[in-house]
Amino acid sequence: MKRFKLTEDWTATVVGWLIILLIVCQFKPTWPSFAWPDAEILLNKVIALDNVGHSLIVFGFMFCLALIAGLFSGKRWIAVVYSFPVVFFLTLIAMVVGGNKFLKTWGFETVIFSLLLGLFISNIFTLPKWLKDSLSSELFVKIGLVLLGTNVLFGDLLEAGALGLIQSCVVVFVVWNFCFWLCRKMKIDKEMALMLSSAVSICGVSAAVATAGAIKGDKKKLSYVVSLVMVVAVPMIIILPVLAKLMGLSEPMAGAWIGGTIDTTGAVAATGAIYGDVALQTSTIVKFSQNVLLGVAAFAISIYWSYTKKEGVEEEKPGLKVIWLRFPKFVLGFVAASLIFSFAVSPEVVKETTPILKNIQGMWFALAFTSIGLETDFRSLLTSENRRSTYAFIGAQTFNVFFTLLMAWLLFSGILTAAVSFTAVLCIGQNRSDNPVRVSAAEEPVKIMALGDSITDGYFGTDGYRKYFYHNMTE
């Protein structure tokens, strides 16, 4: 009897949707707290007995799902039993470190600590073969991306406001294409170019992960891009508010600039808060608009990659069948989750379920980056290709800073809207002068009601206007 087996993409889709259904049906674990501003909270809350108990419940929940995913994808169940607890508890350490308020304020997300911890262990100690062979970083990433669809809601685009949405669409399109062009000019391979372009133009880590999943990208390249995003975001938290103050930018304009240039959402919030409450609100709106565009970008990149990548010596463009075979099927799970949570699920259910789904999604991403770190030889990151990638990323980010500043000035200073309004008035006036309104005798005459005086007040004195108005109208 042939053993039942799904591809990795379909496994991620099935497991992702199984998680969504469980959460919607109220079968969800109590999520542990990882946030701690000081040592007292760390000792009395994060590593307290009840919080440790919540962590063990989450481990049981995630372990069962990892076991199901392993069986569906054809892995030996015993390999999952041995390897998953190791990866989970290393990830748990990284999540506790990443929960520090100071580190979060500076934009360091949990995944960077997962990656660094995995890199440290794999490059200092020799990992057993059974652990290396059983790591499932790509599968974990894809499950997380299916869950990410529940947080990419089309309704949020409308709430983001017209100006924020216009800026996001223009900036993402222009900066993405500039970065991709720059990468190709610097002879960076197309795979790395796609990941860098998405990271610098859309929303940093999430965009890089989504792109890597869509094109089945190299995990070592992805880990390098994630590191770049995090490192470059730190100085920008300090520099952008200072530059905005020196240029005398208003809070909405500064917020739009900050939200469009800094790649991680946490760093955007921290930087906006430094400048002011209005800047915080505007920067969050702009960044959120870019986050929503991630779904559109991931789908487009999937189609592009399926159509353009070459296998062997194939010269002709592939047909629909080949495109379908190459297309990453988990993207369909992502898009389906986004559409259903946007249009089919009630707002009350969305509001109740998205926080826990976002936590579970973050856990899968963190597990994936711990696995990537455990799989990666640090020396392989220090290549000439990666040095060129660093220069390309910094160059694209510099262009992003100046171009987004221009867009924020045009949209949030009122200059562009005033110019559009003035042009519209001129067009309307010209149209009316070219096509004056003519009233035929057969039509009902126009009736004018004057406002300001009562019916009689001022008629017999000199302080009203009604009698003069009447005589002027009847002359």
Side-chain angles (χ1 to χ4, degrees):
M1 181 178 175
K2 190 176 179 180
R3 186 179 177 185
F4 175 77
K5 180 181 176 181
L6 293 175
T7 65
E8 192 173 77
D9 283 1
W10 283 121
T11 298
T13 303
V14 170
V15 173
W17 269 96
L18 174 62
I19 295 170
I20 292 170
L21 292 174
L22 288 173
I23 300 304
V24 170
C25 294
Q26 301 299 310
F27 187 81
K28 54 188 178 184
T30 302
W31 204 258
S33 172
F34 297 106
W36 53 283
D38 51 47
E40 183 180 353
I41 300 296
L42 174 65
L43 294 173
N44 297 330
K45 186 177 180 181
V46 176
I47 59 176
L49 193 59
D50 59 338
N51 205 53
V52 172
H54 295 326
S55 300
L56 291 174
I57 292 171
V58 169
F59 165 72
F61 179 80
M62 300 292 288
F63 179 70
C64 291
L65 292 166
L67 197 57
I68 292 170
L71 293 174
F72 279 178
S73 60
K75 283 185 176 291
R76 293 171 56 245
W77 67 270
I78 195 68
V80 179
V81 170
Y82 285 155
S83 64
F84 187 80
V86 176
V87 176
F88 181 88
F89 286 107
L90 288 176
T91 302
L92 208 60
I93 294 171
M95 294 185 82
V96 171
V97 175
N100 178 259
K101 183 180 178 181
F102 175 80
L103 294 173
K104 276 195 170 298
T105 300
W106 284 88
F108 287 103
E109 298 182 24
T110 299
V111 291
I112 192 66
F113 299 106
S114 300
L115 178 63
L116 290 174
L117 183 59
L119 283 170
F120 175 79
I121 291 173
S122 65
N123 286 273
I124 297 297
F125 306 101
T126 302
L127 296 183
K129 188 175 184 301
W130 60 265
L131 178 58
K132 277 199 167 186
D133 291 345
S134 57
L135 294 173
S136 304
S137 55
E138 288 187 20
L139 179 60
F140 293 166
V141 165
K142 291 173 182 178
I143 295 172
L145 287 171
V146 173
L147 297 179
L148 179 63
T150 62
N151 285 276
V152 178
L153 305 179
F154 289 88
D156 294 328
L157 280 173
L158 302 177
E159 294 179 7
L163 295 180
L165 180 57
I166 291 170
Q167 176 179 310
S168 297
C169 291
V170 174
V171 167
V172 167
F173 179 79
V174 173
V175 174
W176 194 98
N177 281 280
F178 176 83
C179 184
F180 189 75
W181 169 82
L182 184 62
C183 288
R184 301 304 286 161
K185 282 289 183 183
M186 297 178 70
K187 302 189 184 315
I188 295 170
D189 68 86
K190 190 181 291 186
E191 188 179 306
M192 178 65 105
L194 286 168
M195 284 190 274
L196 285 171
S197 301
S198 297
V200 76
S201 64
I202 306 175
C203 52
V205 173
S206 297
V209 172
T211 302
I215 64 175
K216 303 186 188 323
D218 189 317
K219 292 171 287 188
K220 295 175 184 177
K221 293 177 182 177
L222 174 60
S223 64
Y224 189 79
V225 173
V226 169
S227 303
L228 265 180
V229 169
M230 295 296 185
V231 170
V232 172
V234 172
M236 291 180 71
I237 294 175
I238 303 171
I239 294 169
L240 288 191
V242 174
L243 291 177
K245 287 284 186 186
L246 290 174
M247 289 185 288
L249 301 185
S250 64
E251 284 201 33
M253 201 186 305
W257 187 37
I258 290 165
T261 50
I262 296 181
D263 295 314
T264 63
T265 305
V268 164
T271 313
I274 292 172
Y275 205 81
D277 291 338
V278 177
L280 171 61
Q281 182 181 12
T282 309
S283 63
T284 305
I285 285 172
V286 170
K287 178 53 64 179
F288 205 75
S289 299
Q290 291 184 337
N291 291 346
V292 175
L293 292 174
L294 173 60
V296 179
F299 190 79
I301 289 168
S302 300
I303 296 290
Y304 167 79
W305 187 255
S306 300
Y307 189 71
T308 61
K309 74 174 183 178
K310 295 180 179 179
E311 293 179 353
V313 294
E314 182 183 26
E315 293 293 337
E316 296 182 3
K317 292 296 181 184
L320 290 176
K321 183 179 179 181
V322 176
I323 290 175
W324 168 250
L325 291 173
R326 292 176 177 178
F327 185 80
K329 312 302 186 299
F330 77 91
V331 174
L332 300 178
F334 170 90
V335 173
S338 179
L339 291 173
I340 290 173
F341 268 65
S342 295
F343 303 112
V345 179
S346 68
E348 293 76 17
V349 174
V350 171
K351 185 177 181 180
E352 182 183 359
T353 57
T354 47
I356 183 67
L357 285 169
K358 190 169 185 178
N359 286 333
I360 297 171
Q361 165 219 311
M363 176 66 82
W364 285 112
F365 281 166
L367 289 166
F369 276 89
T370 302
S371 301
I372 290 171
L374 292 172
E375 293 169 337
T376 304
D377 182 355
F378 187 76
R379 289 168 295 184
S380 67
L381 299 177
L382 304 177
T383 64
S384 59
E385 172 80 7
N386 283 341
R387 283 196 294 273
R388 291 200 304 274
S389 299
T390 302
Y391 300 146
F393 185 86
I394 293 173
Q397 187 65 282
T398 303
F399 173 80
N400 187 16
V401 166
F402 285 102
F403 182 75
T404 306
L405 176 61
L406 174 63
M407 288 300 303
W409 177 72
L410 287 173
L411 291 169
F412 288 86
S413 67
I415 290 176
L416 188 61
T417 51
V420 171
S421 300
F422 182 69
T423 305
V425 169
L426 288 179
C427 291
I428 292 170
Q430 181 65 34
N431 181 62
R432 287 182 176 176
S433 63
D434 293 342
N435 302 285
V437 178
R438 294 180 175 83
V439 181
S440 66
E443 293 180 354
E444 185 179 348
V446 177
K447 296 179 180 179
I448 299 175
M449 182 177 72
L451 302 176
D453 293 324
S454 69
I455 294 176
T456 59
D457 185 35
Y459 191 83
F460 295 102
T462 59
D463 54 346
Y465 70 87
R466 190 174 299 277
K467 59 184 178 182
Y468 307 107
F469 182 72
Y470 170 78
H471 290 302
N472 289 333
M473 289 294 291
T474 54
E475 283 182 355

